[in-house]
Short mmCIF file of all heavy atoms in Angstrom, two decimals:
data_model
loop_
_atom_site.label_atom_id
_atom_site.label_comp_id
_atom_site.label_asym_id
_atom_site.label_seq_id
_atom_site.Cartn_x
_atom_site.Cartn_y
_atom_site.Cartn_z
N PRO A 10 1.47 24.66 -0.30
CA PRO A 10 0.69 24.96 -1.51
C PRO A 10 -0.80 24.73 -1.27
O PRO A 10 -1.19 23.86 -0.50
CB PRO A 10 1.24 23.98 -2.55
CG PRO A 10 2.58 23.60 -2.05
CD PRO A 10 2.52 23.64 -0.56
N ALA A 11 -1.62 25.53 -1.94
CA ALA A 11 -3.08 25.42 -1.80
C ALA A 11 -3.66 24.58 -2.93
O ALA A 11 -3.15 24.60 -4.07
CB ALA A 11 -3.71 26.80 -1.79
N LEU A 12 -4.70 23.85 -2.63
CA LEU A 12 -5.47 23.14 -3.64
C LEU A 12 -6.39 24.15 -4.31
O LEU A 12 -7.39 24.58 -3.74
CB LEU A 12 -6.26 22.00 -2.99
CG LEU A 12 -7.24 21.20 -3.86
CD1 LEU A 12 -6.55 20.68 -5.11
CD2 LEU A 12 -7.85 20.06 -3.07
N GLU A 13 -6.04 24.54 -5.52
CA GLU A 13 -6.74 25.62 -6.21
C GLU A 13 -7.99 25.13 -6.93
O GLU A 13 -8.04 23.97 -7.39
CB GLU A 13 -5.81 26.30 -7.22
CG GLU A 13 -4.55 26.91 -6.62
CD GLU A 13 -4.84 28.15 -5.80
OE1 GLU A 13 -5.99 28.65 -5.85
OE2 GLU A 13 -3.92 28.63 -5.10
N PRO A 14 -9.02 25.99 -7.07
CA PRO A 14 -10.19 25.62 -7.87
C PRO A 14 -9.78 25.25 -9.29
O PRO A 14 -8.89 25.87 -9.87
CB PRO A 14 -11.04 26.89 -7.85
CG PRO A 14 -10.63 27.61 -6.60
CD PRO A 14 -9.17 27.33 -6.45
N GLY A 15 -10.42 24.21 -9.82
CA GLY A 15 -10.12 23.80 -11.18
C GLY A 15 -8.92 22.89 -11.30
O GLY A 15 -8.48 22.58 -12.42
N SER A 16 -8.38 22.43 -10.17
CA SER A 16 -7.21 21.56 -10.21
C SER A 16 -7.49 20.27 -9.46
O SER A 16 -8.46 20.15 -8.71
CB SER A 16 -5.99 22.25 -9.61
OG SER A 16 -6.17 22.49 -8.23
N VAL A 17 -6.60 19.29 -9.68
CA VAL A 17 -6.75 17.97 -9.07
C VAL A 17 -5.46 17.60 -8.36
O VAL A 17 -4.37 17.77 -8.91
CB VAL A 17 -7.06 16.89 -10.14
CG1 VAL A 17 -7.17 15.51 -9.49
CG2 VAL A 17 -8.34 17.23 -10.89
N TRP A 18 -5.59 17.12 -7.13
CA TRP A 18 -4.45 16.54 -6.43
C TRP A 18 -4.67 15.04 -6.33
O TRP A 18 -5.72 14.58 -5.86
CB TRP A 18 -4.31 17.12 -5.02
CG TRP A 18 -3.69 18.50 -4.98
CD1 TRP A 18 -3.56 19.39 -6.00
CD2 TRP A 18 -3.15 19.14 -3.82
NE1 TRP A 18 -2.96 20.55 -5.57
CE2 TRP A 18 -2.69 20.42 -4.23
CE3 TRP A 18 -3.00 18.77 -2.49
CZ2 TRP A 18 -2.09 21.32 -3.35
CZ3 TRP A 18 -2.42 19.66 -1.61
CH2 TRP A 18 -1.96 20.92 -2.03
N LEU A 19 -3.68 14.28 -6.78
CA LEU A 19 -3.69 12.83 -6.59
C LEU A 19 -2.84 12.53 -5.37
O LEU A 19 -1.62 12.72 -5.39
CB LEU A 19 -3.14 12.12 -7.83
CG LEU A 19 -4.05 12.16 -9.07
CD1 LEU A 19 -3.68 13.36 -9.94
CD2 LEU A 19 -3.91 10.90 -9.88
N VAL A 20 -3.49 12.07 -4.31
CA VAL A 20 -2.87 12.01 -2.98
C VAL A 20 -2.87 10.57 -2.45
O VAL A 20 -3.88 9.87 -2.52
CB VAL A 20 -3.64 12.93 -2.00
CG1 VAL A 20 -3.08 12.80 -0.59
CG2 VAL A 20 -3.56 14.38 -2.48
N GLY A 21 -1.74 10.18 -1.88
CA GLY A 21 -1.66 8.90 -1.20
C GLY A 21 -2.06 9.04 0.25
O GLY A 21 -1.56 9.90 0.97
N ALA A 22 -2.98 8.18 0.70
CA ALA A 22 -3.47 8.23 2.08
C ALA A 22 -2.68 7.33 3.01
O ALA A 22 -2.97 7.26 4.20
CB ALA A 22 -4.95 7.85 2.13
N GLY A 23 -1.67 6.61 2.47
CA GLY A 23 -0.93 5.69 3.31
C GLY A 23 -1.66 4.38 3.49
O GLY A 23 -2.75 4.15 2.94
N PRO A 24 -1.10 3.46 4.28
CA PRO A 24 -1.67 2.11 4.40
C PRO A 24 -2.89 2.00 5.29
O PRO A 24 -3.55 0.96 5.29
CB PRO A 24 -0.51 1.31 4.97
CG PRO A 24 0.29 2.30 5.75
CD PRO A 24 0.19 3.58 4.98
N GLY A 25 -3.22 3.02 6.08
CA GLY A 25 -4.41 2.90 6.93
C GLY A 25 -4.46 3.90 8.06
O GLY A 25 -5.42 4.65 8.20
N ASP A 26 -3.46 3.89 8.92
CA ASP A 26 -3.43 4.78 10.06
C ASP A 26 -3.47 6.24 9.60
O ASP A 26 -2.59 6.68 8.85
CB ASP A 26 -2.14 4.53 10.86
CG ASP A 26 -2.10 5.28 12.18
OD1 ASP A 26 -2.83 6.28 12.34
OD2 ASP A 26 -1.32 4.88 13.06
N PRO A 27 -4.49 7.04 10.01
CA PRO A 27 -4.55 8.43 9.57
C PRO A 27 -3.36 9.26 10.03
O PRO A 27 -3.07 10.29 9.43
CB PRO A 27 -5.87 8.94 10.17
CG PRO A 27 -6.19 8.00 11.27
CD PRO A 27 -5.64 6.67 10.86
N GLY A 28 -2.65 8.80 11.06
CA GLY A 28 -1.46 9.51 11.50
C GLY A 28 -0.34 9.47 10.49
O GLY A 28 0.63 10.23 10.60
N LEU A 29 -0.45 8.60 9.48
CA LEU A 29 0.58 8.48 8.46
C LEU A 29 0.31 9.38 7.26
O LEU A 29 1.09 9.38 6.31
CB LEU A 29 0.70 7.03 8.00
CG LEU A 29 1.10 6.03 9.09
CD1 LEU A 29 1.20 4.62 8.51
CD2 LEU A 29 2.42 6.43 9.74
N LEU A 30 -0.77 10.13 7.27
CA LEU A 30 -1.02 11.11 6.22
C LEU A 30 0.07 12.19 6.24
O LEU A 30 0.53 12.60 7.31
CB LEU A 30 -2.37 11.79 6.40
CG LEU A 30 -3.63 10.95 6.13
CD1 LEU A 30 -4.86 11.68 6.67
CD2 LEU A 30 -3.78 10.68 4.64
N THR A 31 0.47 12.66 5.07
CA THR A 31 1.42 13.77 5.01
C THR A 31 0.71 15.08 5.32
O THR A 31 -0.53 15.16 5.32
CB THR A 31 2.05 13.87 3.62
OG1 THR A 31 1.02 14.18 2.66
CG2 THR A 31 2.73 12.56 3.23
N LEU A 32 1.49 16.12 5.57
CA LEU A 32 0.91 17.44 5.82
C LEU A 32 0.13 17.93 4.60
O LEU A 32 -0.94 18.52 4.73
CB LEU A 32 2.00 18.44 6.19
CG LEU A 32 2.79 18.16 7.47
CD1 LEU A 32 3.78 19.28 7.73
CD2 LEU A 32 1.86 17.99 8.67
N LEU A 33 0.68 17.69 3.41
CA LEU A 33 -0.03 18.10 2.20
C LEU A 33 -1.34 17.35 2.05
O LEU A 33 -2.35 17.93 1.62
CB LEU A 33 0.84 17.88 0.97
CG LEU A 33 1.86 18.97 0.64
CD1 LEU A 33 2.75 18.53 -0.52
CD2 LEU A 33 1.17 20.29 0.30
N ALA A 34 -1.36 16.08 2.39
CA ALA A 34 -2.60 15.31 2.31
C ALA A 34 -3.64 15.87 3.27
O ALA A 34 -4.81 16.03 2.92
CB ALA A 34 -2.33 13.84 2.62
N ALA A 35 -3.22 16.19 4.48
CA ALA A 35 -4.16 16.75 5.47
C ALA A 35 -4.69 18.10 5.02
O ALA A 35 -5.88 18.40 5.19
CB ALA A 35 -3.46 16.88 6.82
N LYS A 36 -3.83 18.91 4.41
CA LYS A 36 -4.29 20.21 3.93
C LYS A 36 -5.29 20.05 2.79
O LYS A 36 -6.31 20.74 2.72
CB LYS A 36 -3.12 21.07 3.47
CG LYS A 36 -3.55 22.46 3.02
CD LYS A 36 -2.40 23.43 2.89
CE LYS A 36 -2.92 24.84 2.59
NZ LYS A 36 -1.83 25.83 2.54
N ALA A 37 -5.00 19.10 1.90
CA ALA A 37 -5.93 18.85 0.80
C ALA A 37 -7.28 18.38 1.31
O ALA A 37 -8.33 18.77 0.77
CB ALA A 37 -5.33 17.81 -0.15
N MET A 38 -7.29 17.56 2.34
CA MET A 38 -8.54 17.09 2.92
C MET A 38 -9.37 18.26 3.44
O MET A 38 -10.59 18.28 3.35
CB MET A 38 -8.26 16.12 4.06
CG MET A 38 -7.61 14.82 3.63
SD MET A 38 -8.73 13.70 2.78
CE MET A 38 -9.80 13.21 4.12
N ALA A 39 -8.68 19.26 3.99
CA ALA A 39 -9.37 20.41 4.57
C ALA A 39 -9.86 21.39 3.52
O ALA A 39 -10.73 22.21 3.80
CB ALA A 39 -8.43 21.14 5.54
N GLN A 40 -9.32 21.32 2.30
CA GLN A 40 -9.66 22.30 1.27
C GLN A 40 -10.55 21.76 0.16
O GLN A 40 -11.25 22.52 -0.51
CB GLN A 40 -8.39 22.85 0.63
CG GLN A 40 -7.55 23.73 1.56
CD GLN A 40 -6.39 24.37 0.84
OE1 GLN A 40 -5.81 23.78 -0.07
NE2 GLN A 40 -6.05 25.58 1.23
N ALA A 41 -10.53 20.46 -0.07
CA ALA A 41 -11.18 19.89 -1.25
C ALA A 41 -12.70 20.09 -1.23
O ALA A 41 -13.35 19.94 -0.19
CB ALA A 41 -10.86 18.41 -1.35
N ASP A 42 -13.24 20.43 -2.40
CA ASP A 42 -14.70 20.48 -2.56
C ASP A 42 -15.26 19.08 -2.78
O ASP A 42 -16.34 18.75 -2.28
CB ASP A 42 -15.06 21.35 -3.77
CG ASP A 42 -14.59 22.78 -3.62
OD1 ASP A 42 -14.87 23.39 -2.57
OD2 ASP A 42 -13.93 23.29 -4.56
N THR A 43 -14.51 18.27 -3.54
CA THR A 43 -14.93 16.91 -3.83
C THR A 43 -13.76 15.97 -3.60
O THR A 43 -12.64 16.24 -4.05
CB THR A 43 -15.42 16.76 -5.28
OG1 THR A 43 -16.49 17.68 -5.52
CG2 THR A 43 -15.90 15.34 -5.55
#
Side-chain angles (χ1 to χ4, degrees):
L12 175 53
E13 300 289 349
S16 66
V17 178
W18 282 17
L19 289 92
V20 175
D26 187 340
L29 299 181
L30 289 167
T31 64
L32 297 183
L33 277 174
K36 183 166 187 177
M38 294 287 290
Q40 291 186 326
D42 299 309
T43 303

